[in-house]
Amino acid sequence: MARMEILKELWAFMKVRKRYWLTPIVLILLLFGILLVFTETSAVAPFVYTLF
């Protein structure tokens, strides 16, 4: 999968360049992405909208 390759490459970059402070930023972006995908086509959407 191309997505896994991107994540592996990003992790390798952070490891080589000692950019571990990027990890929380990447995780939050991934969580928001997952949240957007689930709220588009599920019954969870009304509950998520009340959070914001």
Side-chain angles (χ1 to χ4, degrees), residues 10-23:
L10 180 65
W11 179 250
F13 167 78
M14 290 192 305
K15 215 162 94 172
V16 169
R17 302 282 184 176
K18 306 289 191 243
R19 304 281 190 221
Y20 296 116
W21 56 270
L22 286 172
T23 305

Side-chain angles (χ1 to χ4, degrees), residues 1 5 7-8 10-11 14-16 18-20 22 24-25 28 30-32 34-36 38 40-41 43 46-48:
M1 287 176 83
E5 289 297 320
L7 291 176
K8 286 179 187 177
L10 180 65
W11 179 250
M14 290 192 305
K15 215 162 94 172
V16 169
K18 306 289 191 243
R19 304 281 190 221
Y20 296 116
L22 286 172
I25 297 169
I28 288 174
L30 285 173
L31 287 175
F32 273 125
I34 291 169
L35 184 67
L36 284 173
F38 280 127
E40 286 180 354
T41 58
F47 301 111
V48 174

